[in-house]
Amino acid sequence: MRRLTILFLSVALVLVLSELSRAQVLWRSAKTMPQGSYLAMASWYRMDFNRSYKWSGEKWADFPSDSSRTYWGFETMFGYGVTDRLETHVHIPIAFKSASNDTIDKSSSGIGDIYLKTRFALIPWAKDRHGLTLTGALRFGTGSWLPQPKLGLGDGSTDFAIGEIFSTAWMNNFRGHLKANYWFNGVNHSGEDVGDELKVIVKLDRNLSPKVMPFITYIYYSQSKKESAAGVIANSEKIRRYFVLGGVYKPMKGMFIRPKVVIPIGGEGGILFDYKPLIDFWFVFK
C-alpha cells in the first residue's frame, strides 16, 4: 500500500505541473527490470519556440515580436517485466500547445499518439560489464490533427520503430551509453507520407554516491522529407543536435527523480527553442 501511495503521489505531482514530449524509445540504459516488476513514469517538459529556419539564407531567424508558440506537457509510461530480459510498455502522452500572432490565437490540448514498446536484453546488463538491449515500438494515430497552425496532438499516421541501447561500465563509477532508433513513419491525415526519423544518443554518467548520478548527453536527430501525392515536399526535412545536462536522484529504493535541460547546438528546418527544461519521475516496484 505504501508503494502504491508513493506511485500515485509521484504521478499526480507531475500531472499538476505538466504535459508531452516527443515519444521516446530510448529511455533508460540497457539494464532490464527483473521479472514481475512494474514501472511507472511521468515526464514534464516545456518548449517556448522563438525562431524558425529560413532555407533561402540557410540560417535561423527570430520570430516577429508579436508571435509566440509554446508546447508543454508530460508523457506517462507504464511497463512490466515479462522475464528478466523482456519488458513491455505503453506510452500515453498528453499535450498542451498554443500559438499566437497578429492574425491567430489558437490552442489545443489532449492525448497525443499512444504507442506500445518492448525491450529485449540480447546481452543482459551486469554491474561493471556491458549490456545490449534491442527495442521495438508501434505508434498509433490517436492524437487529434490540425494542419494549421500545426497545433495537432498527433499526425494520424501509424508508425513503427526499431532501436538498440548499448551500455558499458568502467573505472567503477563511470558508465557510457550508445543508443539509436529509427522510426518508419506512415501516411498522415492529409495524405502526406511523414518523413522517417533517426535519433542517435551518446551519454556519459557517473555515480557520485548511491543516491546521486549526474550525466551529460549528445543527441543527433533527423527527419527525412515528407511526400505528398504531388511529390517530395521541398524543405520539409529537419536536423537537430542537442547537448543535455542533468542528473538522477534516488530518494528511496525504486524511486528516481531526473531533472535535465536540453540545449540546441545546431540544426536546420522547422522551428526551435533556446532551451527545454524537463523533469522525470520514475517508480519501479514489484
Side-chain angles (χ1 to χ4, degrees):
M1 179 60 69
R2 181 169 177 264
R3 289 180 174 178
L4 290 176
T5 301
I6 294 173
L7 169 62
F8 174 79
L9 291 175
S10 299
V11 174
L13 175 61
V14 181
L15 292 174
V16 170
L17 292 173
S18 33
E19 197 270 351
L20 157 96
S21 73
R22 181 63 173 167
Q24 252 283 23
V25 179
L26 301 176
W27 269 318
R28 301 168 52 219
S29 68
K31 182 179 180 181
T32 51
M33 297 185 293
Q35 182 178 9
S37 296
Y38 296 88
L39 178 150
M41 184 279 297
S43 175
W44 170 87
Y45 73 94
R46 180 183 176 100
M47 295 181 289
D48 292 301
F49 295 96
N50 57 11
R51 47 196 154 134
S52 59
Y53 192 76
K54 304 301 182 183
W55 287 98
S56 57
E58 296 187 345
K59 62 181 181 180
W60 293 95
D62 292 339
F63 282 179
S65 58
D66 60 351
S67 297
S68 66
R69 184 181 294 266
T70 298
Y71 299 169
W72 67 279
F74 66 90
E75 184 162 344
T76 60
M77 178 176 70
F78 304 92
Y80 177 71
V82 180
T83 71
D84 287 345
R85 301 174 66 169
L86 178 66
E87 301 175 358
T88 58
H89 302 264
V90 58
H91 291 243
I92 306 175
I94 303 174
F96 299 84
K97 299 183 177 183
S98 63
S100 64
N101 56 34
D102 59 352
T103 59
I104 65 167
D105 186 3
K106 294 186 177 182
S107 63
S108 61
S109 63
I111 293 176
D113 290 345
I114 296 173
Y115 74 101
L116 306 177
K117 183 179 75 177
T118 186
R119 289 166 36 106
F120 176 73
L122 188 63
I123 303 175
W125 167 266
K127 188 176 181 180
D128 300 328
R129 297 183 63 183
H130 310 301
L132 176 63
T133 293
L134 305 181
T135 66
L138 179 63
R139 184 167 58 206
F140 304 95
T142 53
S144 62
W145 179 77
L146 294 171
Q148 293 295 338
K150 299 183 179 179
L151 295 180
L153 307 178
D155 59 21
S157 65
T158 299
D159 320 309
F160 71 94
I162 56 174
E164 62 79 28
I165 302 172
F166 175 74
S167 298
T168 184
W170 69 93
M171 295 174 61
N172 296 321
N173 292 328
F174 286 94
R175 295 190 308 173
H177 311 274
L178 177 61
K179 312 177 184 184
N181 77 275
Y182 192 92
W183 278 102
F184 298 89
N185 292 327
V187 177
N188 65 18
H189 285 300
S190 63
E192 296 174 350
D193 185 352
V194 181
D196 292 348
E197 298 168 279
L198 169 68
K199 179 179 283 187
V200 178
I201 297 175
V202 180
K203 180 182 178 184
L204 176 67
D205 54 50
R206 183 179 188 275
N207 286 315
L208 294 182
S209 73
K211 291 188 175 184
V212 178
M213 183 180 69
F215 61 84
I216 56 174
T217 306
Y218 170 79
I219 300 175
Y220 172 85
Y221 166 85
S222 68
Q223 183 174 23
S224 59
K225 292 182 178 180
K226 298 179 181 180
E227 294 186 34
S228 67
V232 175
I233 301 175
N235 300 333
S236 58
E237 69 270 29
K238 295 178 184 177
I239 293 177
R240 295 288 185 274
R241 289 177 288 273
Y242 301 107
F243 172 76
V244 184
L245 181 63
V248 179
Y249 174 62
K250 184 178 178 181
M252 58 178 290
K253 183 179 180 180
M255 187 174 184
F256 306 87
I257 302 173
R258 188 177 68 162
K260 59 183 176 179
V261 61
V262 179
I263 302 172
I265 55 175
E268 59 185 34
I271 57 178
L272 196 59
F273 49 84
D274 284 333
Y275 63 94
K276 174 183 175 182
L278 303 94
I279 185 167
D280 305 340
F281 293 80
W282 300 74
F283 193 68
V284 181
F285 62 99
K286 270 196 171 186

